[in-house]
Amino acid sequence: MLDNFFNPNSIAVVGASRTPGKVGYDILKNINQYGYPGMVYPINPGASEILGKKAYPSLIGVPGKIDLAVIVVPSKDVIEVIGQCGTKKIDSAIVITAGFKESGIEGSKLENELIRKAKESGVRFIGPNCLGMIDTHSKVNASFAAGMPARGGIGFFSQSGALCLAVLDRALPDEIGFSKFISMGNKADISDTDIMLALAEDENTKVILGYIEGVGDGRKFMEVAKEVTKKKPVIILKSGITSSGAKAASSHTGALAGREAAFDAAFRQSGVIRAHTINELFNFALAFANQPLPQGPNVVIITNSGGPGILAADACDKSDLKIVSPHKDVVDELRTFLPTAASFYNPIDILGDSGADRYEKALTTVLKDEKMHGIIVLLTPTAVVDVDETAMAVVNIAGNTDRPILTSFMGKQRIGSGAKTLLRYNVPNYSYPEEAVSSMNAMYHYRVWINRPEKTYPQFHDLKSKAIHIFEKAAEENKERLTDSEVHDVLTAYGFTVPRSLFARTSEEAVAAARGIGYPVVMKIVSPQVIHKSDMGGVKVGLDSKKAVENAFFDITTRVRNIMPAAQIYGVMVQEMIRGGKEVIMGITKDAQFGHMVMFGLGGIYVEVLKDIAFRITPLSQEDAHEMIRETKTFPLLRGVRGEAEADIEAIEKSLLTLSRMAMDFPRIIEADINPLLVRKRGEGVVAIDARFAIGGE
Ligand code: COA
């Protein structure tokens, strides 16, 4: 896939410049100087030769076939050059030129024209507004980056050219090996998903790394990522988390930054590993590119000092990794050669006077314990230890085991050459123990992802037909919200239990309704304009007598009328009062890029303060529903604390899956909240106490 980009037999640089320091000059220079073996054609109307290569006035005049055109002419000329690509049957181009969507309305128009022209001409292109592309294996450096990374297994794509440069600069001194470097620019044609698919097929790429600010088609991104992550790890750094970050992202390349919850859910549901900093992106990439995956969560730490060992163990505790004690036989063997003051359990502290031999023996011994799935070796550069020798000892052992070994030789000056040795022989070294732990944890998560069984999606019989008339009628009337009774009907159509309710226009009717339902009751205002009823004083609970109901009717209607004089008050809803149980919230929201998501949170009215919520993009699998409940920090409250009975967690799962079905059935739902959903004891189900539905669009 995209072969002419990564492995072209010939390249034309349109806008190759005679002037050193110009972008068109540097690109040609890069293609020449890193050993590209194919034909290179500089295109420049004013030159006969540039950097020793015969130049041509236009693409059309080039005698041979051209596989790839690198376009670096001013923006006003780009479209014409794309047309020439079509005439010359060049199907692949990289548009370096800036001045498109990222620069405003005129630029956006130009970009649309570029897209149209490229389609018409049969040209696929990377960019515009990009730095170019590097393939270390085919020796193509069609970029204006300063330098060429070493050959290796990391395939990197980035929406930001600057980040490409930063990553490259960081990679060069340590000779970190890359297969490909792709600066995506505005992604007007070739997208993240195209690149992920190409890198998934590329035999030189072991791990896929990406930096994105947003994705065009969220659903497609997930679909592709799900397939790709089955074959290779995909690690992505996504910016635009904070609102100011999001603003910068949209003015940067004009990308519409997606909402963070949606990205988190999308990454999680498609097996993408999310890095939160550039450093983390690197750390994870080094681990995945160089070491085998752990088979399980058990990690053993070998250290020559107590503090770092404890830091590493603490970091493991906060992750999904486990610190388990070595097998008794292993401990017995450790005792035969370690000083008595050593610590034989995990972390294994071999003490500050350790040399390379002690490290070697300790490592060899712990590897005899089959239940240790990964090893983290820590070293503080004492005067006694020979860092280089120790690095070689670790390297030799790592080369002969199928279990991952990560190291944290701490410091800078004294460990410099040792750290280089480690990396040269595929053992990533991290500046701090926590980084080694988080990288091991990422590898463990990926192992779990590739081992997990196929997800199961529940089968629903037709629920849609029971509610479709409600949504159709609402659409005809251009309603933005469903009324209380419509909400009631939709919820019951989808099998939710709702409190028994009767509508009352007068206080006499309210008393009759309360009598019919049985005291105590709840009373709620019914008005199309009142959305947050309790904020308006429109809800009264625990009404246990005729008098209380009469007073409440008067009270509620007067208060709402005072606060919102224009509101139409239809009457009140008298409702069965449900007691006991725990309050949770669940709902549906719609993300611009990923579509519908289902949300779950604990805490009822406190949910906005606690923000202890989890999201999944629809359709939800059984596993998604199971996991998202357990993802919330307050989940133990549902299990029951201090002798409380366990809540009906299964019923919550079922409700989440039902909401997911509902969202799939009715794309016009913009937002829905069931808040609170009262969860009773295990086996007793849930009751949707209150709900709201906002609808519209399509
Ligand atoms: N066909 C062929 N060659 C052409 C041409 C055309 N249609 N139009 C111009 N050229 C030649 C020029 O003669 C010049 O060569 P010379 O220096 O030997 O005279 C060369 O191409 C460059 O043209 P010039 O007009 O000098 O442009 P420039 O170098 O100042 O700028 C870009 C061109 C593309 C670099 C600039 O428009 C641009 O987009 N810069 C930003 C790039 C960027 O930052 N990308 C994103 C990175 S993340």
Side-chain angles (χ1 to χ4, degrees):
M1 266 181 91
L2 306 180
D3 266 359
N4 280 345
F5 284 96
F6 301 129
N7 203 4
N9 285 318
S10 49
I11 306 175
V13 181
V14 191
S17 169
R18 293 158 290 184
T19 317
K22 277 199 180 181
V23 178
Y25 180 90
D26 286 344
I27 290 177
L28 187 65
K29 191 167 142 225
N30 271 351
I31 294 174
N32 280 348
Q33 82 178 18
Y34 294 109
Y36 171 63
M39 289 299 292
V40 183
Y41 304 105
I43 310 294
N44 183 320
S48 55
E49 188 189 294
I50 309 175
L51 283 163
K53 303 271 177 200
K54 178 171 166 40
Y56 296 83
S58 86
L59 282 171
I60 308 298
V62 174
K65 186 175 176 323
I66 299 168
D67 284 345
L68 175 67
V70 184
I71 300 174
V72 61
V73 297
S75 57
K76 63 174 181 27
D77 297 335
V78 170
I79 287 156
E80 190 194 337
V81 174
I82 286 285
Q84 290 170 1
C85 288
T87 312
K88 185 75 186 148
K89 303 259 177 302
I90 304 168
D91 62 7
S92 308
I94 300 173
V95 183
I96 304 283
T97 311
F100 290 86
K101 190 172 86 180
E102 82 288 355
S103 66
I105 296 173
E106 284 310 308
S108 276
K109 283 189 197 152
L110 196 63
E111 187 158 312
N112 288 339
E113 180 55 17
L114 169 63
I115 295 167
R116 193 200 59 75
K117 187 72 183 175
K119 249 198 199 117
E120 179 191 284
S121 312
V123 181
R124 300 293 319 266
F125 66 95
I126 292 176
N129 184 31
C130 73
L131 186 79
M133 189 226 67
I134 299 175
D135 186 316
T136 56
H137 293 265
S138 59
K139 297 186 180 163
V140 175
N141 187 337
S143 79
F144 61 103
M148 177 87 162
R151 271 193 197 193
I154 304 172
F156 178 57
F157 66 95
S158 167
Q159 194 168 345
S160 152
L163 207 95
C164 273
L165 294 173
V167 168
L168 181 62
D169 199 54
R170 162 78 174 78
L172 287 174
D174 288 340
E175 294 169 33
I176 295 168
F178 282 78
S179 56
K180 291 175 173 50
F181 241 87
I182 305 140
S183 164
M184 303 289 295
N186 293 2
K187 305 192 275 194
D189 177 27
I190 289 186
S191 63
D192 306 308
T193 47
D194 293 323
I195 294 294
M196 281 200 292
L197 285 170
L199 292 176
E201 276 183 18
D202 174 35
E203 55 186 31
N204 297 319
T205 300
K206 260 181 90 175
V207 39
I208 300 171
L209 230 62
Y211 166 77
I212 60 173
E213 290 163 3
V215 294
D217 180 344
R219 292 273 165 172
K220 175 141 188 248
F221 176 88
M222 283 182 75
E223 206 180 288
V224 168
K226 245 184 227 166
E227 286 311 306
V228 173
T229 53
K230 279 183 199 160
K231 296 185 195 157
K232 290 177 189 177
V234 177
I235 305 163
I236 291 187
L237 174 64
K238 152 86 178 72
S239 67
I241 291 179
T242 57
S243 50
S244 53
K247 229 184 247 159
S250 53
S251 58
H252 184 41
T253 46
L256 228 164
R259 291 228 310 275
E260 281 322 293
F263 271 98
D264 262 338
F267 284 5
R268 194 187 289 265
Q269 284 171 265
S270 50
V272 170
I273 300 147
R274 184 166 193 169
H276 292 92
T277 59
I278 302 178
N279 200 36
E280 207 169 64
L281 189 73
F282 247 97
N283 288 344
F284 292 176
L286 287 180
F288 279 98
N290 291 294
Q291 285 292 300
L293 295 176
Q295 296 294 333
N298 299 343
V299 168
V300 62
I301 298 160
I302 298 176
T303 178
N304 66 345
S305 53
I310 295 167
L311 284 174
D314 282 351
C316 286
D317 273 351
K318 284 186 208 139
S319 75
D320 292 314
L321 300 174
K322 293 200 168 68
I323 296 283
V324 291
S325 295
H327 190 274
K328 184 183 166 306
D329 295 349
V330 167
V331 175
D332 288 346
E333 192 174 330
L334 289 170
R335 283 188 201 282
T336 62
F337 61 87
L338 289 180
T340 46
S343 173
F344 303 98
Y345 298 94
N346 203 356
I348 298 170
D349 185 351
I350 60 174
L351 301 183
D353 60 345
S354 296
D357 57 332
R358 211 185 273 169
Y359 267 102
E360 187 176 348
K361 276 192 195 160
L363 247 174
T364 314
T365 309
V366 296
L367 277 168
K368 291 181 186 165
D369 190 340
E370 291 298 330
K371 73 172 185 299
M372 295 304 184
H373 304 120
I375 297 102
I376 292 176
V377 181
L378 309 179
L379 177 143
T380 5
T382 60
V384 182
V385 72
D386 183 325
V387 179
D388 293 322
E389 221 182 293
T390 309
M392 271 324 291
V394 173
V395 158
N396 288 333
I397 292 168
N400 288 307
T401 173
D402 56 3
R403 282 175 274 175
I405 299 183
L406 303 181
T407 60
S408 178
F409 284 20
M410 283 168 287
K412 195 163 179 76
Q413 192 155 310
R414 285 218 47 229
I415 60 102
S417 74
K420 270 208 164 125
T421 304
L422 287 164
L423 193 56
R424 187 168 316 123
Y425 294 100
N426 303 326
V427 179
N429 184 62
Y430 299 95
S431 303
Y432 304 106
E434 299 89 334
E435 294 177 323
V437 171
S438 69
S439 303
M440 186 74 83
N441 191 43
M443 288 208 288
Y444 168 61
H445 279 181
Y446 183 61
R447 159 66 69 201
V448 171
W449 169 257
I450 49 178
N451 281 357
R452 64 195 281 153
E454 281 294 310
K455 289 187 170 188
T456 39
Y457 292 89
Q459 296 295 319
F460 285 89
H461 40 259
D462 175 30
L463 300 169
K464 183 178 175 179
S465 59
K466 293 189 199 156
I468 195 160
H469 63 282
I470 302 169
F471 285 94
E472 279 176 354
K473 185 167 157 272
E476 273 165 31
E477 293 169 5
N478 275 331
K479 268 191 197 159
E480 289 177 358
R481 300 198 163 269
L482 297 185
T483 63
D484 287 347
S485 68
E486 287 166 341
V487 169
H488 175 276
D489 292 350
V490 169
L491 290 177
T492 44
Y494 276 79
F496 282 95
T497 303
V498 289
R500 279 199 304 138
S501 306
L502 289 170
F503 175 62
R505 267 165 302 205
T506 61
S507 70
E508 291 77 28
E509 280 183 19
V511 171
R515 206 170 284 138
I517 289 168
Y519 290 109
V521 292
V522 175
M523 192 184 286
K524 296 176 183 171
I525 191 81
V526 177
S527 159
Q529 286 80 27
V530 180
I531 297 155
H532 299 281
K533 301 182 197 86
S534 34
D535 295 355
M536 296 274 154
V539 179
K540 291 260 177 198
V541 298
L543 308 173
D544 56 1
S545 65
K546 176 173 180 275
K547 184 117 198 75
V549 168
E550 283 168 351
N551 286 346
F553 185 91
F554 178 73
D555 210 33
I556 283 178
T557 48
T558 318
R559 261 202 229 186
V560 173
R561 195 165 290 127
N562 284 343
I563 299 173
M564 284 179 81
Q568 297 161 275
I569 296 172
Y570 294 165
V572 296
M573 194 63 83
V574 181
Q575 242 174 25
E576 173 190 5
M577 174 135 174
I578 312 280
R579 271 178 293 198
K582 299 216 160 96
E583 289 190 358
V584 302
I585 175 172
M586 59 178 64
I588 300 168
T589 59
K590 203 174 196 175
D591 179 79
Q593 290 170 58
F594 292 96
H596 277 135
M597 298 193 282
V598 169
M599 186 266 277
F600 169 76
L602 203 70
I605 55 168
Y606 300 119
V607 73
E608 304 205 350
V609 181
L610 298 172
K611 292 203 170 66
D612 188 18
I613 44 182
F615 286 92
R616 289 292 184 280
I617 290 161
T618 60
L620 260 63
S621 67
Q622 221 108 32
E623 295 77 7
D624 290 328
H626 180 90
E627 284 167 12
M628 67 192 287
I629 300 170
R630 283 154 183 83
E631 218 169 277
T632 55
K633 289 185 221 63
T634 36
F635 171 69
L637 296 180
L638 291 174
R639 271 272 154 77
V641 286
R642 302 191 172 215
E644 274 179 333
E646 181 174 312
D648 199 336
I649 298 167
E650 228 170 274
I652 305 177
E653 283 176 22
K654 196 168 156 230
S655 304
L656 290 169
L657 293 168
T658 308
L659 272 189
S660 165
R661 179 71 256 168
M662 192 192 287
M664 306 288 288
D665 287 345
F666 297 108
R668 291 192 77 246
I669 297 176
I670 295 173
E671 229 167 62
D673 269 354
I674 304 181
N675 186 25
L677 180 86
L678 214 68
V679 189
R680 292 168 146 164
K681 278 192 295 208
R682 196 165 161 188
E684 293 183 3
V686 294
V687 186
I689 301 290
D690 207 351
R692 294 193 285 266
F693 278 71
I695 47 172
E698 293 156 58

